[in-house]
Amino acid sequence: METCKVAVVGGGLAGLYTAQALNASGVDVVLLEARERLGGRILTADETGLPAEDGFDLGPSWYWPLMQPAMATLVGELGLAAFGQNSEGAVVFERMSREKPQRYLPAALDQQSMRLAGGTAAAICALAGKLPAERVRLGTMVTAMDLAENGVRLTLKTGDESAEVLHAELVVAALPPRLLEATLTFAPPQEPATAARWRNTPTWMAPHAKFFAIYDKPFWRTDGLSGTAQSMVGPLVEIHDATTASGKAALFGFLGVGADQRATLGEQVLKQACLAQLARLFGPEALEPRATLLKDWAADSLTATAADRAGGGHPVPGNPRWVSGPWESRLLLAASETSESEPGYLAGAVIAAKRAVAEIRSKMDRE
């Protein structure tokens, strides 16, 4: 049986931060990720939809340095380049289907949204580079955790459907609580109140879908538009300039169509409706993109559960005690949703990961 001091389940921002920080402290750590890539809900893709080092953020894209110093500090520590979300030009507002969209010049922003050059996956790549490759297991899903006398036995399922067992003294679950509750079995079971809390915690990004239209040039800017738009008509309800730091031009928007309706309509119909809306808002050039991308996170089984299809609110800060009963000494949660501040944001993932690392170091100091 393979063994380690700490097993980190989930290779998104929180899991990677946790694993590399523990590794830097000399802790024997193994990172387990069900996907064949790292990043989790962070996915930077090229115009074909494949992961890329310089592309478009199909998941989270922004952070706010003054309001989220944890993320700003991480960007600085990793030596990453950042740039401001384009806000120069007018904002378009679409109130009714029978009214022409209106343009407004917004007031100056006090807190500008920032993006990473190369995409948010730049942070993932930088953190992954701090881990020994042999301690990262991709395509490895944890299906069960059993408490043992001196740790936790994790049942792993790999791509060939074979089952393996890993023994860890401590486990950090860096995946959303709702997904953890839905996809893993525990022996003994989690206490009912704990399981209910996990199940009732909304998963950030899980209900949403993002549409991208990629162009040869940002034509809206020459027309005096920022690329920002809000619509009460749809199908996109919020639209922004997604042009990369390297100059790849794009617009993106969040769909206001629910997950079940998206599945019924199908990707092609949705894309056509989105392009028609962009043409209403930004002009006929919007009908001729180089490529389009649609990422429906509700259809991603490694992000969303059936409960996420109905939507729901943003995760909110709460009691920091996410594990109770016999599991409390062996299992820690570190997903962004579990953060005591900025839950459901990139900064929340960093804060939650730092908390888990501090708890583990404290446990080891007491041993």
Side-chain angles (χ1 to χ4, degrees), residues 76 88 102 170 182 194 198 218 231 257 332 365:
E88 294 184 8
Q102 302 297 309
L170 296 168
T194 294
W198 294 4
S231 174
V257 180
L332 299 89
D365 288 343

Side-chain angles (χ1 to χ4, degrees), residues 182-203:
T183 59
L184 270 75
T185 58
F186 294 88
Q190 296 295 329
E191 293 189 339
T194 294
R197 186 186 184 192
W198 294 4
R199 190 165 52 248
N200 294 330
T201 299
T203 297

Side-chain angles (χ1 to χ4, degrees), residues 29-238:
V29 60
V30 172
L31 178 65
L32 305 166
E33 168 54 50
R35 293 178 171 91
E36 293 293 345
R37 62 169 181 85
L38 293 170
R41 287 166 281 181
I42 292 177
L43 174 56
T44 301
D46 62 19
E47 62 183 55
T48 70
L50 295 176
E53 294 183 359
D54 181 21
F56 308 97
D57 289 321
L58 306 190
S61 182
W62 301 312
Y63 71 100
W64 295 265
L66 296 180
M67 293 188 294
Q68 300 177 335
M71 189 61 191
T73 298
L74 178 64
V75 171
E77 289 174 349
L78 297 178
L80 303 176
F83 66 105
Q85 171 67 34
N86 182 64
S87 59
E88 294 184 8
V91 171
V92 182
F93 181 62
E94 187 177 41
R95 190 169 71 102
M96 297 177 65
S97 60
R98 294 181 182 274
E99 290 183 1
K100 183 178 179 181
Q102 302 297 309
R103 298 182 177 189
Y104 300 92
L105 284 174
L109 297 176
D110 293 330
Q111 301 280 349
Q112 186 175 22
S113 308
M114 298 296 290
R115 296 163 57 193
L116 295 182
T120 314
I124 298 300
C125 293
L127 289 170
K130 296 177 178 291
L131 273 173
E134 65 272 13
R135 305 310 281 170
V136 178
R137 304 263 314 260
L138 298 178
T140 303
M141 178 178 288
V142 180
T143 60
M145 294 188 200
D146 298 340
L147 270 182
E149 184 176 348
N150 58 346
V152 181
R153 288 192 303 270
L154 295 91
T155 302
L156 315 178
K157 185 175 73 173
T158 57
D160 60 4
E161 297 298 319
S162 62
E164 303 175 26
V165 176
L166 170 68
H167 183 279
E169 292 184 27
L170 296 168
V171 177
V172 178
L175 67 165
R178 177 176 281 175
L179 190 67
L180 180 65
E181 193 275 337
T183 59
L184 270 75
T185 58
F186 294 88
Q190 296 295 329
E191 293 189 339
T194 294
R197 186 186 184 192
W198 294 4
R199 190 165 52 248
N200 294 330
T201 299
T203 297
W204 168 55
M205 288 298 297
H208 302 300
K210 293 178 77 172
F211 170 79
F212 286 75
I214 301 159
Y215 299 96
D216 290 326
K217 59 183 180 180
F219 59 86
W220 52 94
R221 295 185 183 182
T222 58
D223 195 26
L225 298 173
S226 64
T228 299
Q230 291 185 327
S231 174
M232 298 177 69
V233 179
L236 301 172
V237 293
E238 180 182 334

Side-chain angles (χ1 to χ4, degrees), residues 233-365:
V233 179
L236 301 172
V237 293
E238 180 182 334
I239 299 162
H240 298 276
D241 187 325
T243 302
T244 66
S246 60
K248 297 174 183 175
L251 293 166
F252 95 88
F254 292 99
L255 276 87
V257 180
D260 290 338
Q261 189 178 0
R262 295 197 298 266
T264 299
L265 291 172
E267 182 172 322
Q268 202 56 41
V269 170
L270 286 170
K271 284 183 173 182
Q272 290 172 355
C274 289
L275 287 177
Q277 181 183 12
L278 293 181
R280 293 196 308 268
L281 301 176
F282 300 107
E285 285 185 83
L287 291 172
E288 299 179 359
R290 288 173 51 89
T292 58
L293 298 170
L294 178 63
K295 175 59 179 176
D296 191 335
W297 288 99
D300 187 330
S301 63
L302 296 178
T303 296
T305 70
D308 295 301
R309 300 187 68 82
H314 192 86
V316 296
N319 185 340
R321 189 166 174 255
W322 284 88
V323 184
S324 60
W327 282 95
E328 196 166 6
S329 63
R330 296 293 181 182
L331 176 65
L332 299 89
L333 268 58
S336 177
E337 288 80 3
T338 69
S339 176
E340 294 175 57
S341 61
E342 302 296 330
Y345 291 102
L346 295 170
V350 177
I351 294 166
K354 286 185 174 182
R355 181 196 65 214
V357 170
E359 288 186 27
I360 290 172
R361 287 172 175 164
S362 178
K363 285 177 182 286
M364 292 180 176
D365 288 343

Side-chain angles (χ1 to χ4, degrees), residues 3-33:
T3 63
C4 64
K5 184 74 174 180
V6 179
V8 178
V9 183
L13 180 59
L16 271 170
Y17 187 96
T18 301
Q20 62 83 33
L22 292 174
N23 179 72
S25 298
V27 177
D28 177 28
V29 60
V30 172
L31 178 65
L32 305 166
E33 168 54 50

